[in-house]
Amino acid sequence: MASEEDLSKYFTGKHEVQECLQGQRETDLPSHLANCEKNPIHKIFIPVNQFSLEHFPSDYRDNDLYHFTKGLADLTIRIAVKYTSPDRPEFLPGTTDPYPGYNIKGQNSLRTGTGKVLWVKKYTEGEDDDMSCPCPECDFSDTPSKVWWGVVAVTARHVIFNESEARQSTCRLWFDDNQSPVLKIYGSAVGDSNTKEDLCFLYCVSHDLDIGDKLKKMVDRSKGLWKKVSEKYKSRKHVEKLTIIVSHPHGCVKQVSVGHWVHRQVVEGRRTRYTYTTCTCPGSSGALVYRLGCSWGSFHPHIGGTSNPNSSRLNYSGVWFDKEI
Protein backbone atom coordinates (compact mmCIF):
# COMPACT_ATOMS: atom_id res chain seq x y z
CA MET A 1 0.00 0.00 0.00
CA ALA A 2 1.43 3.38 -0.99
CA SER A 3 2.00 5.90 1.78
CA GLU A 4 -0.03 9.10 2.06
CA GLU A 5 3.07 11.03 0.99
CA ASP A 6 3.47 8.83 -2.08
CA LEU A 7 -0.18 9.30 -3.02
CA SER A 8 -0.01 13.10 -2.82
CA LYS A 9 1.91 13.24 -6.10
CA TYR A 10 -1.21 12.08 -7.96
CA PHE A 11 -3.31 15.07 -6.86
CA THR A 12 -1.55 17.86 -8.72
CA GLY A 13 -2.00 18.76 -12.36
CA LYS A 14 -4.04 20.86 -14.72
CA HIS A 15 -7.35 22.18 -13.38
CA GLU A 16 -10.18 21.69 -15.85
CA VAL A 17 -12.19 24.86 -15.90
CA GLN A 18 -12.66 26.02 -19.50
CA GLU A 19 -11.12 29.47 -19.87
CA CYS A 20 -12.08 31.55 -22.90
CA LEU A 21 -10.16 34.27 -24.67
CA GLN A 22 -11.00 37.86 -23.81
CA GLY A 23 -14.17 38.85 -25.62
CA GLN A 24 -15.32 35.30 -26.39
CA ARG A 25 -18.94 34.38 -25.68
CA GLU A 26 -20.83 31.17 -25.06
CA THR A 27 -21.37 30.82 -28.81
CA ASP A 28 -17.58 30.48 -29.18
CA LEU A 29 -17.30 27.46 -26.87
CA PRO A 30 -17.54 24.83 -29.67
CA SER A 31 -14.21 26.12 -31.01
CA HIS A 32 -12.51 24.92 -27.80
CA LEU A 33 -14.11 21.49 -28.22
CA ALA A 34 -12.94 21.29 -31.85
CA ASN A 35 -9.37 22.16 -30.84
CA CYS A 36 -9.20 19.91 -27.75
CA GLU A 37 -5.75 18.41 -27.19
CA LYS A 38 -6.62 16.12 -24.26
CA ASN A 39 -9.32 14.04 -25.98
CA PRO A 40 -9.34 14.80 -29.72
CA ILE A 41 -12.81 14.23 -31.26
CA HIS A 42 -13.99 13.05 -27.83
CA LYS A 43 -14.55 9.42 -28.76
CA ILE A 44 -14.52 8.23 -25.14
CA PHE A 45 -17.34 10.55 -24.04
CA ILE A 46 -20.94 9.38 -24.48
CA PRO A 47 -23.56 12.01 -25.38
CA VAL A 48 -26.21 11.82 -22.69
CA ASN A 49 -29.02 11.24 -25.22
CA GLN A 50 -27.15 8.22 -26.60
CA PHE A 51 -26.21 6.68 -23.26
CA SER A 52 -27.50 3.12 -22.77
CA LEU A 53 -26.99 0.00 -20.65
CA GLU A 54 -24.36 -1.22 -23.12
CA HIS A 55 -22.01 1.56 -22.03
CA PHE A 56 -21.56 -0.10 -18.63
CA PRO A 57 -19.18 -3.05 -18.13
CA SER A 58 -21.07 -6.30 -18.71
CA ASP A 59 -21.41 -7.07 -14.98
CA TYR A 60 -23.13 -3.74 -14.33
CA ARG A 61 -25.82 -3.61 -17.00
CA ASP A 62 -28.55 -2.97 -14.50
CA ASN A 63 -31.70 -0.88 -15.00
CA ASP A 64 -31.47 0.76 -11.58
CA LEU A 65 -27.90 1.90 -12.26
CA TYR A 66 -28.94 3.13 -15.71
CA HIS A 67 -31.85 5.17 -14.34
CA PHE A 68 -29.63 6.51 -11.55
CA THR A 69 -27.09 7.72 -14.14
CA LYS A 70 -29.81 9.38 -16.19
CA GLY A 71 -31.04 11.05 -13.00
CA LEU A 72 -27.52 12.26 -12.26
CA ALA A 73 -27.43 13.71 -15.77
CA ASP A 74 -30.78 15.47 -15.24
CA LEU A 75 -29.29 17.38 -12.29
CA THR A 76 -25.93 18.16 -13.90
CA ILE A 77 -25.57 21.84 -14.84
CA ARG A 78 -23.26 23.86 -17.06
CA ILE A 79 -21.88 26.79 -15.06
CA ALA A 80 -20.79 29.92 -16.94
CA VAL A 81 -18.96 32.67 -15.04
CA LYS A 82 -18.35 36.09 -16.60
CA TYR A 83 -16.10 37.58 -13.94
CA THR A 84 -12.98 36.51 -12.03
CA SER A 85 -12.61 37.84 -8.50
CA PRO A 86 -9.51 39.89 -7.55
CA ASP A 87 -9.55 37.94 -4.26
CA ARG A 88 -8.28 34.75 -5.87
CA PRO A 89 -4.96 33.71 -4.28
CA GLU A 90 -1.73 33.63 -6.26
CA PHE A 91 -0.88 30.03 -5.35
CA LEU A 92 -2.64 26.77 -4.55
CA PRO A 93 -2.61 26.22 -0.75
CA GLY A 94 0.75 25.05 0.55
CA THR A 95 2.42 25.17 -2.88
CA THR A 96 4.04 27.54 -5.34
CA ASP A 97 1.73 26.32 -8.12
CA PRO A 98 -0.42 29.10 -9.62
CA TYR A 99 -4.05 29.21 -8.53
CA PRO A 100 -6.53 28.85 -11.42
CA GLY A 101 -7.76 32.21 -12.69
CA TYR A 102 -5.20 34.31 -10.83
CA ASN A 103 -3.80 35.51 -14.16
CA ILE A 104 -7.20 36.96 -15.15
CA LYS A 105 -8.37 38.17 -11.72
CA GLY A 106 -10.56 41.23 -11.85
CA GLN A 107 -11.36 40.66 -15.52
CA ASN A 108 -14.67 40.12 -17.29
CA SER A 109 -13.71 36.93 -19.07
CA LEU A 110 -15.86 33.85 -19.63
CA ARG A 111 -15.07 30.57 -17.85
CA THR A 112 -17.18 27.41 -17.70
CA GLY A 113 -17.37 24.43 -15.41
CA THR A 114 -19.88 21.85 -14.24
CA GLY A 115 -21.96 21.31 -11.11
CA LYS A 116 -24.76 19.15 -9.72
CA VAL A 117 -28.03 20.30 -8.17
CA LEU A 118 -28.42 18.90 -4.64
CA TRP A 119 -31.36 20.70 -3.07
CA VAL A 120 -34.27 22.97 -4.00
CA LYS A 121 -36.73 24.97 -1.93
CA LYS A 122 -39.77 27.02 -2.86
CA TYR A 123 -40.16 30.47 -1.28
CA THR A 124 -43.63 32.03 -1.20
CA GLU A 125 -45.05 35.40 -0.28
CA GLY A 126 -45.41 35.82 3.47
CA GLU A 127 -42.51 33.50 4.29
CA ASP A 128 -38.83 34.21 5.00
CA ASP A 129 -39.31 37.91 5.86
CA ASP A 130 -41.32 38.43 2.70
CA MET A 131 -38.15 38.43 0.63
CA SER A 132 -38.53 38.92 -3.12
CA CYS A 133 -36.72 36.85 -5.71
CA PRO A 134 -33.06 37.99 -5.69
CA CYS A 135 -32.34 37.17 -9.35
CA PRO A 136 -30.92 39.93 -11.62
CA GLU A 137 -34.23 40.35 -13.44
CA CYS A 138 -36.10 41.01 -10.19
CA ASP A 139 -33.34 43.28 -8.84
CA PHE A 140 -34.18 45.78 -11.57
CA SER A 141 -37.94 45.25 -11.59
CA ASP A 142 -40.62 47.38 -9.92
CA THR A 143 -42.63 44.21 -9.43
CA PRO A 144 -40.16 41.50 -8.32
CA SER A 145 -41.55 38.02 -7.99
CA LYS A 146 -42.70 37.07 -4.49
CA VAL A 147 -42.71 33.37 -5.33
CA TRP A 148 -39.40 31.80 -6.36
CA TRP A 149 -37.10 28.82 -5.99
CA GLY A 150 -33.76 28.56 -4.23
CA VAL A 151 -31.34 25.94 -5.59
CA VAL A 152 -28.08 24.64 -4.10
CA ALA A 153 -25.49 23.01 -6.35
CA VAL A 154 -22.07 21.53 -5.61
CA THR A 155 -19.06 22.45 -7.76
CA ALA A 156 -15.34 23.17 -7.37
CA ARG A 157 -14.15 26.35 -5.71
CA HIS A 158 -11.80 27.15 -8.58
CA VAL A 159 -14.97 27.35 -10.73
CA ILE A 160 -16.84 29.69 -8.33
CA PHE A 161 -14.47 31.30 -5.85
CA ASN A 162 -16.72 33.71 -3.93
CA GLU A 163 -19.98 35.66 -3.99
CA SER A 164 -18.75 38.26 -6.49
CA GLU A 165 -18.24 35.44 -9.00
CA ALA A 166 -21.47 33.68 -8.02
CA ARG A 167 -23.48 36.80 -8.82
CA GLN A 168 -21.90 36.90 -12.28
CA SER A 169 -22.72 33.28 -13.05
CA THR A 170 -25.54 31.40 -14.72
CA CYS A 171 -26.30 27.68 -14.69
CA ARG A 172 -27.76 26.14 -17.81
CA LEU A 173 -30.17 23.27 -17.17
CA TRP A 174 -30.83 20.22 -19.34
CA PHE A 175 -28.29 21.17 -22.01
CA ASP A 176 -28.47 17.66 -23.48
CA ASP A 177 -27.99 18.47 -27.17
CA ASN A 178 -27.59 21.47 -29.41
CA GLN A 179 -31.35 21.72 -29.88
CA SER A 180 -32.06 21.94 -26.14
CA PRO A 181 -33.95 25.10 -25.12
CA VAL A 182 -31.81 27.61 -23.22
CA LEU A 183 -33.05 27.35 -19.62
CA LYS A 184 -30.95 29.02 -16.92
CA ILE A 185 -30.95 29.78 -13.23
CA TYR A 186 -28.90 32.59 -11.71
CA GLY A 187 -26.00 32.32 -9.28
CA SER A 188 -26.68 34.33 -6.13
CA ALA A 189 -24.23 33.45 -3.34
CA VAL A 190 -21.90 30.77 -2.02
CA GLY A 191 -22.30 28.59 1.04
CA ASP A 192 -19.58 26.48 2.60
CA SER A 193 -16.45 26.75 0.46
CA ASN A 194 -12.93 25.49 0.99
CA THR A 195 -9.93 26.49 -1.12
CA LYS A 196 -7.69 23.64 0.02
CA GLU A 197 -10.34 20.97 -0.53
CA ASP A 198 -11.55 22.77 -3.68
CA LEU A 199 -15.25 22.49 -3.02
CA CYS A 200 -18.01 25.10 -3.23
CA PHE A 201 -21.75 25.10 -2.63
CA LEU A 202 -23.34 27.52 -5.09
CA TYR A 203 -26.69 29.11 -4.26
CA CYS A 204 -28.90 29.86 -7.27
CA VAL A 205 -32.35 31.36 -7.77
CA SER A 206 -35.18 31.35 -10.29
CA HIS A 207 -38.75 32.61 -10.35
CA ASP A 208 -39.62 30.23 -13.19
CA LEU A 209 -41.99 28.01 -11.24
CA ASP A 210 -42.05 25.29 -13.89
CA ILE A 211 -38.25 24.95 -13.63
CA GLY A 212 -38.45 24.78 -9.84
CA ASP A 213 -41.19 22.15 -9.82
CA LYS A 214 -39.32 20.01 -12.34
CA LEU A 215 -36.04 20.25 -10.42
CA LYS A 216 -37.72 19.34 -7.13
CA LYS A 217 -39.18 16.16 -8.62
CA MET A 218 -35.82 15.24 -10.16
CA VAL A 219 -33.96 15.79 -6.87
CA ASP A 220 -36.39 13.60 -4.95
CA ARG A 221 -36.24 10.84 -7.55
CA SER A 222 -32.45 10.98 -7.84
CA LYS A 223 -31.93 10.76 -4.09
CA GLY A 224 -34.15 7.68 -3.91
CA LEU A 225 -32.29 5.99 -6.77
CA TRP A 226 -28.92 6.87 -5.22
CA LYS A 227 -29.89 5.12 -1.98
CA LYS A 228 -31.30 2.11 -3.85
CA VAL A 229 -28.18 1.65 -5.99
CA SER A 230 -25.90 2.23 -2.99
CA GLU A 231 -27.61 -0.56 -1.07
CA LYS A 232 -27.51 -2.91 -4.08
CA TYR A 233 -23.79 -2.46 -4.76
CA LYS A 234 -22.26 -1.63 -1.39
CA SER A 235 -20.70 -5.10 -1.11
CA ARG A 236 -19.08 -4.77 -4.56
CA LYS A 237 -17.87 -1.17 -4.48
CA HIS A 238 -14.23 -2.23 -4.11
CA VAL A 239 -14.33 -4.93 -6.83
CA GLU A 240 -14.16 -3.02 -10.11
CA LYS A 241 -14.40 0.43 -8.46
CA LEU A 242 -16.80 1.72 -11.12
CA THR A 243 -16.86 5.53 -11.39
CA ILE A 244 -19.30 7.70 -13.37
CA ILE A 245 -18.99 11.38 -14.25
CA VAL A 246 -21.52 13.55 -16.11
CA SER A 247 -20.07 16.86 -17.25
CA HIS A 248 -20.05 19.63 -19.85
CA PRO A 249 -16.67 19.36 -21.63
CA HIS A 250 -15.62 22.76 -23.01
CA GLY A 251 -18.96 24.20 -21.86
CA CYS A 252 -20.75 22.25 -24.59
CA VAL A 253 -23.46 19.59 -24.50
CA LYS A 254 -23.66 17.13 -21.62
CA GLN A 255 -21.58 13.94 -21.77
CA VAL A 256 -21.32 10.76 -19.69
CA SER A 257 -18.06 8.95 -18.99
CA VAL A 258 -17.50 5.63 -17.23
CA GLY A 259 -14.24 4.36 -15.71
CA HIS A 260 -12.89 3.20 -12.36
CA TRP A 261 -11.10 4.78 -9.44
CA VAL A 262 -7.45 3.94 -8.81
CA HIS A 263 -6.20 5.73 -5.68
CA ARG A 264 -8.00 6.87 -2.55
CA GLN A 265 -6.13 9.23 -0.24
CA VAL A 266 -7.37 9.83 3.29
CA VAL A 267 -6.75 13.52 3.89
CA GLU A 268 -8.10 13.75 7.43
CA GLY A 269 -10.50 11.57 9.40
CA ARG A 270 -13.07 10.41 6.85
CA ARG A 271 -12.27 13.13 4.31
CA THR A 272 -10.85 11.64 1.12
CA ARG A 273 -9.99 12.32 -2.48
CA TYR A 274 -9.67 10.00 -5.48
CA THR A 275 -7.92 9.44 -8.78
CA TYR A 276 -9.77 7.70 -11.62
CA THR A 277 -9.64 6.74 -15.28
CA THR A 278 -13.04 8.29 -15.99
CA CYS A 279 -12.73 10.67 -18.94
CA THR A 280 -12.82 14.47 -18.42
CA CYS A 281 -11.83 17.64 -20.28
CA PRO A 282 -11.59 21.39 -19.66
CA GLY A 283 -15.12 22.38 -18.62
CA SER A 284 -15.53 19.23 -16.48
CA SER A 285 -14.24 20.93 -13.30
CA GLY A 286 -16.83 20.70 -10.53
CA ALA A 287 -18.68 17.67 -11.91
CA LEU A 288 -19.73 15.16 -9.27
CA VAL A 289 -17.51 12.06 -9.17
CA TYR A 290 -19.86 9.14 -8.46
CA ARG A 291 -18.35 5.90 -7.15
CA LEU A 292 -20.62 2.88 -7.41
CA GLY A 293 -21.88 1.85 -3.98
CA CYS A 294 -20.98 5.10 -2.24
CA SER A 295 -23.50 6.49 0.22
CA TRP A 296 -25.82 9.44 -0.40
CA GLY A 297 -23.90 12.59 0.43
CA SER A 298 -20.65 11.63 -1.30
CA PHE A 299 -20.05 14.87 -3.19
CA HIS A 300 -16.44 14.70 -4.39
CA PRO A 301 -16.04 17.31 -7.18
CA HIS A 302 -13.84 16.71 -10.21
CA ILE A 303 -10.75 18.96 -10.23
CA GLY A 304 -8.36 18.08 -13.05
CA GLY A 305 -5.91 15.75 -14.72
CA THR A 306 -2.88 14.55 -12.78
CA SER A 307 0.56 15.68 -13.93
CA ASN A 308 2.25 12.53 -12.58
CA PRO A 309 4.19 11.05 -15.53
CA ASN A 310 3.37 7.50 -14.41
CA SER A 311 -0.38 8.10 -14.53
CA SER A 312 -0.94 10.31 -17.54
CA ARG A 313 -4.48 9.01 -18.04
CA LEU A 314 -5.65 9.64 -14.48
CA ASN A 315 -7.86 12.47 -13.27
CA TYR A 316 -8.44 13.52 -9.67
CA SER A 317 -11.11 14.87 -7.34
CA GLY A 318 -11.38 17.41 -4.57
CA VAL A 319 -11.95 16.43 -0.96
CA TRP A 320 -15.19 15.37 0.66
CA PHE A 321 -16.53 13.24 3.52
CA ASP A 322 -16.41 9.50 2.84
CA LYS A 323 -18.58 7.12 4.84
CA GLU A 324 -17.00 4.07 3.20
CA ILE A 325 -13.66 4.09 5.06
Side-chain angles (χ1 to χ4, degrees):
M1 175 71 72
S3 70
E4 293 300 302
E5 184 177 350
D6 290 335
L7 285 177
S8 292
K9 63 188 178 184
Y10 295 105
F11 294 93
T12 59
K14 186 174 178 60
H15 290 66
E16 292 193 323
V17 68
Q18 176 64 65
E19 293 187 359
C20 296
L21 299 175
Q22 190 76 24
Q24 284 191 320
R25 302 179 180 181
E26 291 183 29
T27 52
D28 298 308
L29 288 167
S31 67
H32 294 277
L33 184 150
N35 297 319
C36 177
E37 296 180 0
K38 183 178 182 181
N39 293 295
I41 72 173
H42 291 77
K43 289 192 297 184
I44 306 175
F45 287 107
I46 308 153
V48 66
N49 286 342
Q50 298 176 25
F51 186 75
S52 68
L53 281 174
E54 284 66 38
H55 290 110
F56 290 123
S58 57
D59 289 346
Y60 293 93
R61 291 174 183 168
D62 167 63
N63 280 324
D64 288 333
L65 181 57
Y66 170 75
H67 289 301
F68 165 79
T69 304
K70 296 290 282 187
L72 175 61
D74 286 339
L75 296 172
T76 296
I77 55 177
R78 197 282 308 276
I79 301 173
V81 195
K82 299 179 180 179
Y83 175 70
T84 303
S85 169
D87 297 329
R88 286 191 173 229
E90 184 175 1
F91 302 112
L92 292 167
T95 77
T96 56
D97 297 329
Y99 191 82
Y102 179 81
N103 60 315
I104 55 171
K105 67 176 189 174
Q107 295 183 20
N108 295 312
S109 183
L110 178 66
R111 295 174 290 108
T112 71
T114 301
K116 179 192 180 292
V117 172
L118 301 178
W119 173 89
V120 292
K121 179 180 177 180
K122 188 175 185 179
Y123 294 87
T124 58
E125 189 171 7
E127 296 181 351
D128 303 292
D129 300 322
D130 204 24
M131 180 179 175
S132 301
C133 176
C135 81
E137 293 176 1
C138 288
D139 271 350
F140 294 98
S141 173
D142 293 332
T143 56
S145 179
K146 298 290 186 179
V147 182
W148 51 282
W149 286 90
V151 179
V152 177
V154 63
T155 187
R157 192 170 194 189
H158 73 268
V159 176
I160 298 286
F161 186 74
N162 58 13
E163 185 165 320
S164 66
E165 293 186 5
R167 293 184 65 82
Q168 293 291 324
S169 69
T170 57
C171 301
R172 185 168 176 181
L173 306 168
W174 309 308
F175 184 16
D176 295 347
D177 57 48
N178 287 318
Q179 285 69 52
S180 297
V182 179
L183 299 171
K184 297 181 179 181
I185 55 179
Y186 297 95
S188 176
V190 294
D192 291 341
S193 297
N194 188 300
T195 304
K196 186 175 182 179
E197 298 184 350
D198 211 346
L199 182 134
C200 172
F201 290 99
L202 174 64
Y203 292 178
C204 305
V205 295
S206 174
H207 55 253
D208 186 318
L209 301 187
D210 290 337
I211 283 178
D213 286 336
K214 185 175 180 179
L215 277 176
K216 180 66 168 61
K217 291 175 183 176
M218 287 179 167
V219 167
D220 291 344
R221 182 172 182 270
S222 178
K223 188 172 181 179
L225 282 167
W226 187 318
K227 292 179 177 179
K228 184 176 183 179
V229 170
S230 174
E231 183 65 25
K232 179 180 286 189
Y233 287 101
K234 67 180 181 181
S235 64
R236 297 178 62 189
K237 59 177 174 281
H238 298 305
V239 178
E240 290 189 17
K241 303 178 181 178
L242 193 74
T243 307
I244 301 167
I245 295 177
V246 183
S247 70
H248 285 278
H250 308 288
C252 297
V253 296
K254 191 177 299 175
Q255 307 281 332
V256 182
S257 49
V258 179
H260 62 274
W261 64 266
V262 178
H263 305 105
R264 176 175 63 194
Q265 184 184 37
V266 179
V267 177
E268 181 182 2
R270 290 182 176 268
R271 304 182 82 79
T272 61
R273 55 184 178 178
Y274 288 83
T275 67
Y276 33 87
T277 63
T278 321
C279 188
T280 61
C281 261
S284 297
S285 278
L288 187 142
V289 181
Y290 175 75
R291 296 168 293 105
L292 184 64
C294 69
S295 302
W296 163 254
S298 179
F299 302 141
H300 293 77
H302 171 67
I303 303 302
T306 178
S307 57
N308 187 283
N310 297 318
S311 58
S312 59
R313 297 181 60 192
L314 293 184
N315 300 305
Y316 65 99
S317 77
V319 177
W320 187 245
F321 182 74
D322 197 336
K323 295 179 181 179
E324 277 69 55
I325 62 172

